[in-house]
Amino acid sequence: MSFYGKASKPKFESKIIPAGDYECRVISALEKVDEDGASYIEFQFKVREDVDQNCKGNIIKKRFKPDANGNYKVDKINEFAFACGVEEGADYQLEELSGACVIVHINCFTAADTGRKVGYVAYLKESDVGDTAKPLDTDSLDSISTDDIPF
């Protein structure tokens, strides 16, 4: 059986998150390469659903592109790392920042050329709430027997 349909362009409408502070979790922090072969660093945040706030579950992205010499804004990236809990002077890799709870501050402006409202990540700071995820009860894992496993 084959699927038959009529193609139509999806209606894409970007959600603008209002200016303000949002408790978020870092989903990922990675160095990536775009379709033109240019590298960039991208942070992805998810607005936490376990905190009483607007825009729960929304995804926020922040990209850092290197300058003409191929250098990133290290001070700004370190500012993000510190908000994620990295200690002063500590070595870290971007991937280690995933899972951190932070406050993402969003600012907005109206683009002069298009008249569209644009939101952007202005800065991060440490979470006021912290990580509210319940720790795994490892004591209960000791009571699991191989007899309980179905294979």
Side-chain angles (χ1 to χ4, degrees), residues 58-138:
N58 283 14
I59 303 297
I60 301 170
K61 295 181 182 182
K62 170 65 178 174
R63 284 187 179 182
F64 292 99
K65 296 180 180 180
D67 61 19
N69 297 322
N71 299 316
Y72 289 107
K73 294 180 180 178
V74 176
D75 290 345
K76 191 69 172 174
I77 295 168
N78 282 340
E79 182 182 304
F80 276 40
F82 294 146
C84 292
V86 174
E87 298 289 326
E88 177 77 35
D91 292 332
Y92 67 93
Q93 294 182 336
L94 288 172
E95 295 83 6
E96 296 170 348
L97 305 179
S98 294
C101 295
V102 296
I103 294 175
V104 176
H105 182 81
I106 302 289
N107 281 343
C108 295
F109 68 93
T110 301
D113 57 344
T114 63
R116 292 181 61 192
K117 190 174 182 182
V118 178
Y120 66 95
V121 176
Y123 60 85
L124 300 186
K125 58 184 181 179
E126 289 184 37
S127 171
D128 288 338
V129 179
D131 192 350
T132 58
K134 295 179 182 173
L136 179 63
D137 179 15
T138 56

Side-chain angles (χ1 to χ4, degrees), residues 10-95:
K11 294 179 181 175
F12 174 77
E13 193 166 323
S14 178
K15 292 181 187 177
I16 300 299
I17 296 178
D21 288 341
Y22 297 91
E23 285 279 349
C24 296
R25 186 173 301 274
V26 179
I27 297 172
S28 65
L30 300 168
E31 188 166 11
K32 297 182 173 186
V33 177
D34 66 17
E35 56 277 351
D36 296 326
S39 65
Y40 63 93
I41 291 175
E42 182 179 77
F43 283 80
Q44 285 192 24
F45 308 94
K46 183 173 184 180
V47 179
R48 292 175 56 179
E49 298 179 28
D50 61 334
V51 176
D52 186 26
Q53 61 184 337
N54 292 327
C55 303
K56 292 179 182 183
N58 283 14
I59 303 297
I60 301 170
K61 295 181 182 182
K62 170 65 178 174
R63 284 187 179 182
F64 292 99
K65 296 180 180 180
D67 61 19
N69 297 322
N71 299 316
Y72 289 107
K73 294 180 180 178
V74 176
D75 290 345
K76 191 69 172 174
I77 295 168
N78 282 340
E79 182 182 304
F80 276 40
F82 294 146
C84 292
V86 174
E87 298 289 326
E88 177 77 35
D91 292 332
Y92 67 93
Q93 294 182 336
L94 288 172
E95 295 83 6

